[in-house]
Amino acid sequence: MKRKFFKSIIIAAGGLLVFAACSKSFLETDPTGTPTENNYYRNETEAFNGLVAVYDVVGWQGNAYITKTGMADAASDDHYAGGGSSTDVSGLQVMSNYTVDPATGPSAELWQKGYAGVFRANLLMEKLPNVPMDENKKKRFVAECKVLRAYFYFDLVRLFKNIPLITKTLATSEFNSVLQAEPAQVWAQIEKDLTEAIAEAQLPDKLASSETGRMNKGIAHALLGKVYLWEKKYTEAAAEFALVNGTPGGANSYGYALLPNFADLWKFTNKFNSESIFEISFSSLSGGTWSCTSCTEGNVLNVMVGPRGYSPTPGAPDYYSGWSFLPVTQSLFDALHFDPRFNATIVNLDSLEKNGVAKYEKGYMNTGYFLAKFAAKNSDRTTGGGNVELNFGQNLYEIRLADAYLMEAEALVRGGGDAARADALLNAVRKRVGLNPVPATIDNIMKERRLELAGEGHRWFDLVRTGDAATVLASKGFKAGKNEILPIPLQELENTKILQNKEYGGTK
């Protein structure tokens, strides 16, 4: 019998088994033993460890090297899957050529991630009322769980559309009888969780330096704005983003600010900088090994996107030899070639090789262009033990200020809002890299999103959200009315009441 991810995660969450052997959240935690639901949550420390367990899922990376960012990049027009061959990390390959099906692809990993987070959040919120601890801290924990649950459901409903909506822990007898909710119910629950968390006075506006990575009101407002944008509630989206963005290029209530130098965003040590709103934490110190690739706290994208068999001459760029995944397409290269962000975004290995600066092995679907934003360098190598490849520690931006500026500008234009403010938001992003102002049309905003956020996992979602995917991705095999979502993973259909999406031959 194949493993039932949905069922197994419910069991795991119910028993706090747990903390996934490693923590990718705001706090390093080393729980000992395998405490169960019945003998845990006895005090504030144990409740806090439970909160860490919820955060841990944000940085989930499966044993199959699947991440949301990697999947979305491979599926976009900016990258191919790459790697060593047409079967190397098949979950990326089938997204890149749109042969994904219920048995093959990233679905199982991304479904498992989402529901692991949901179930851990549900469990902690149910346990908190009986934990003897400060009531204000308890309210903060609940608010954080609601933002996190909203985040997990936001990804699940965007990726799979027809999903179970679970807001409480389940008894064993309920495991196989869970039904899918209408998508509108899921969207409504996401909004409810976020608005309630924002209204909770204990969710802070700003974080102490010791709390970086935890949820605050800025993150909640930005995430709610993004949810509204997906729902085409443009007036509401613009209002949420305005609270986060403040004066374009100037001050806001949460202390966010564009970094003066775009390239500084990609320094591995530049974590939780002023531009970061919602950031996913990784570490070079977890000592991850091949015995459990999903247990490492290192960012697997750092080695995946580097040039394969990289051999530099003295003075050449210091890249660590990687696996050549997500090579940049000619289309993105041409779009960025004369843009000031080019060198921080793309490394042209073909040019280096032609000039005798470095050599590299040509991977699958090689273009000669690699994603510089995430490519690891020898200077970024771990000092914490384990395998070098699994222990690079660059964080990822889930939402950063330039992204929020452009989303607000889009919402204003689509919703008929303040055109002058939309211009100011778009051109603050351009001014940061020395580009002249342009009017805030939808074409200009979406072009700017592609160039500013290249490789960060947003392009595919933007194309799907705006309805442009069928045209832009037709040459890769994208089929309108199908590939806007992923299939429900095959494992979830066995002995359960979950139904496959119609787009993939099901009845839901």
Side-chain angles (χ1 to χ4, degrees):
M1 181 68 69
K2 291 182 180 178
R3 182 184 180 200
K4 311 286 193 305
F5 285 136
F6 185 68
K7 181 175 178 179
S8 65
I9 295 169
I10 297 174
I11 296 171
L16 201 80
L17 348 152
V18 329
F19 303 122
C22 55
S23 167
K24 300 181 183 70
S25 59
F26 57 90
L27 183 71
E28 299 293 336
T29 307
D30 185 23
T32 58
T34 54
T36 65
E37 180 180 354
N38 290 332
N39 63 13
Y40 211 70
Y41 303 104
R42 296 164 299 189
N43 51 49
E44 181 179 322
T45 297
E46 292 184 352
F48 187 71
N49 286 344
L51 181 62
V52 171
V54 186
Y55 276 96
D56 187 75
V57 184
V58 175
W60 181 291
Q61 299 175 127
N63 280 315
Y65 305 108
I66 294 298
T67 63
K68 181 179 68 175
T69 300
M71 176 282 296
D73 280 352
S76 77
D77 57 329
D78 289 347
H79 303 270
Y80 300 113
S85 70
S86 61
T87 59
D88 197 0
V89 184
S90 61
L92 297 184
Q93 303 297 338
V94 298
M95 287 303 299
S96 191
N97 59 27
Y98 288 97
T99 58
V100 60
D101 61 41
T104 309
S107 293
E109 294 280 10
L110 296 173
W111 179 282
Q112 186 178 13
K113 171 188 175 177
Y115 279 108
V118 167
F119 296 144
R120 292 183 186 188
N122 288 344
L123 177 61
L124 181 57
M125 283 192 283
E126 287 191 9
K127 293 293 183 180
L128 278 169
N130 295 320
V131 178
M133 60 182 287
D134 179 83
E135 287 300 316
N136 286 332
K137 287 186 179 180
K138 190 180 294 187
K139 290 177 182 178
R140 180 179 178 183
F141 286 14
V142 170
E144 290 177 83
C145 282
K146 287 182 178 180
V147 177
L148 288 162
R149 184 170 67 181
Y151 167 67
F152 296 128
Y153 268 129
F154 182 46
D155 279 349
L156 285 166
V157 74
R158 289 190 296 167
L159 290 171
F160 300 105
K161 188 174 73 173
N162 294 301
I163 61 172
L165 177 60
I166 301 167
T167 57
K168 65 181 183 65
T169 57
L170 299 178
T172 304
S173 59
E174 299 176 283
F175 288 169
N176 292 333
S177 60
V178 173
L179 300 174
Q180 288 144 294
E182 290 298 318
Q185 293 178 272
V186 182
W187 287 105
Q189 182 63 47
I190 294 169
E191 290 185 21
K192 181 175 184 289
D193 275 347
L194 290 170
T195 53
E196 287 180 354
I198 290 168
E200 176 53 64
Q202 299 307 315
L203 193 66
D205 290 341
K206 298 179 182 179
L207 297 168
S209 59
S210 60
E211 296 181 324
T212 51
R214 292 180 71 170
M215 294 295 135
N216 61 17
K217 286 188 178 177
I219 294 173
H221 281 298
L223 185 55
L224 183 56
K226 193 169 181 178
V227 169
Y228 284 144
L229 188 63
W230 268 81
E231 295 180 285
K232 296 181 169 54
K233 297 180 178 180
Y234 299 123
T235 301
E236 295 90 335
E240 293 298 323
F241 286 126
L243 294 172
V244 176
N245 295 333
T247 302
N252 54 69
S253 299
Y254 301 104
Y256 303 129
L258 296 176
L259 292 186
N261 183 5
F262 177 81
D264 287 346
L265 285 161
W266 317 112
K267 292 180 178 178
F268 281 30
T269 56
N270 201 11
K271 298 173 184 279
F272 301 106
N273 56 67
S274 65
E275 189 164 337
S276 175
I277 297 175
F278 184 178
E279 186 165 325
I280 302 174
S281 298
F282 295 94
S283 171
S284 63
L285 303 176
S286 69
T289 66
W290 297 117
S291 62
C292 181
T293 56
S294 63
C295 297
T296 183
E297 292 182 17
N299 185 343
V300 298
L301 283 175
N302 292 149
V303 69
M304 290 181 75
V305 306
R308 182 177 294 261
Y310 181 69
S311 177
T313 61
D318 185 35
Y319 290 111
Y320 183 84
S321 185
W323 301 343
S324 70
F325 283 97
L326 305 178
V328 171
T329 62
Q330 188 68 47
S331 173
L332 179 59
F333 178 90
D334 291 343
L336 262 170
H337 195 190
F338 299 106
D339 187 277
R341 292 162 287 204
F342 178 87
N343 287 334
T345 305
I346 297 173
V347 55
N348 186 343
L349 259 293
D350 265 6
S351 177
L352 294 179
E353 188 168 71
K354 288 174 182 177
N355 286 283
V357 175
K359 295 181 180 180
Y360 73 104
E361 296 176 18
K362 311 305 182 288
Y364 180 60
M365 300 194 81
N366 175 63
T367 61
Y369 314 132
F370 294 83
L371 184 56
K373 284 181 177 179
F374 299 152
K377 298 180 179 179
N378 281 296
S379 56
D380 300 316
R381 290 173 61 135
T382 178
T383 57
N387 296 95
V388 173
E389 294 87 349
L390 297 178
N391 290 281
F392 288 103
Q394 184 183 23
N395 285 4
L396 297 179
Y397 302 107
E398 185 70 28
I399 304 175
R400 57 184 176 89
L401 189 60
D403 179 17
Y405 276 10
L406 294 173
M407 286 192 285
E408 184 187 347
E410 180 186 349
L412 287 169
V413 174
R414 292 190 189 277
D418 185 341
R421 180 172 172 83
D423 285 346
L425 289 158
L426 169 61
N427 290 307
V429 176
R430 293 175 60 82
K431 181 180 180 181
R432 189 254 296 273
V433 294
L435 291 171
N436 292 327
V438 295
T441 63
I442 290 299
D443 284 348
N444 283 341
I445 293 167
M446 300 315 292
K447 177 182 177 181
E448 201 66 31
R449 285 188 62 79
R450 185 187 189 191
L451 303 185
E452 173 73 21
L453 303 170
E456 297 176 54
H458 297 288
R459 173 68 172 173
W460 181 76
F461 284 105
D462 281 348
L463 292 172
V464 169
R465 173 174 61 80
T466 59
D468 293 331
T471 300
V472 175
L473 300 175
S475 63
K476 295 189 77 171
F478 185 101
K479 295 179 178 61
K482 177 181 180 179
N483 295 126
E484 290 85 356
I485 60 172
L486 301 184
I488 306 296
L490 183 63
Q491 294 93 328
E492 299 307 324
L493 307 176
E494 297 175 345
N495 301 322
T496 74
K497 293 186 177 181
I498 296 175
L499 303 174
Q500 184 57 265
N501 292 317
K502 290 180 180 179
E503 290 86 344
Y504 291 90
T507 58
K508 188 66 175 175

